[in-house]
Amino acid sequence: MARAAGVVEGFKPVNFDRLPQSLREKDGQWFTVHTLSVAFLVNTQLVKNVPQSWADLLKPEYKNAIVYQDPRSTGQP
C-alpha cells in the first residue's frame, strides 16, 4: 500500500542483495531483516502499567522508555 501511494523511497542497506528475494522489494522500497517473534519485556519494578498492545506504546507514559536491541551488535537477525 505504501509503495502504491508513493510514500516510500528506495533504500538498500549494506548486504541488501544478500537478503532472500522474498524478504525484499527489488528497488528497496521495503525489506525485512527481522523475522523472529517480538515480545514486550517489562521491568515491573519500574513500569507499573504494563503495555498490552502496540497502541499502548504510543501513550505518553511510555515516551523515552522503549528500547530495541540493534541486530548489528546483538547477533539477533
Side-chain angles (χ1 to χ4, degrees):
M1 288 182 78
R3 180 178 181 211
V7 297
V8 293
E9 189 170 317
F11 173 72
K12 294 182 179 181
V14 173
N15 296 322
F16 176 83
D17 293 332
R18 294 179 60 194
L19 293 171
Q21 188 171 359
S22 63
L23 301 180
R24 61 183 163 89
E25 192 275 332
K26 68 180 179 68
D27 295 320
Q29 293 196 352
W30 66 264
F31 58 90
T32 182
V33 294
H34 193 292
T35 58
L36 300 173
S37 299
V38 176
F40 294 156
L41 304 176
V42 179
N43 182 338
T44 55
Q45 292 180 350
L46 298 175
V47 178
K48 300 305 176 197
N49 185 18
V50 176
Q52 300 297 311
S53 69
W54 291 108
D56 282 352
L57 298 179
L58 298 174
K59 295 177 180 177
E61 66 191 278
Y62 301 115
K63 186 172 182 166
N64 298 319
I66 299 169
V67 177
Y68 183 81
Q69 292 183 334
D70 186 338
R72 296 172 298 175
S73 61
T74 63
Q76 298 296 318

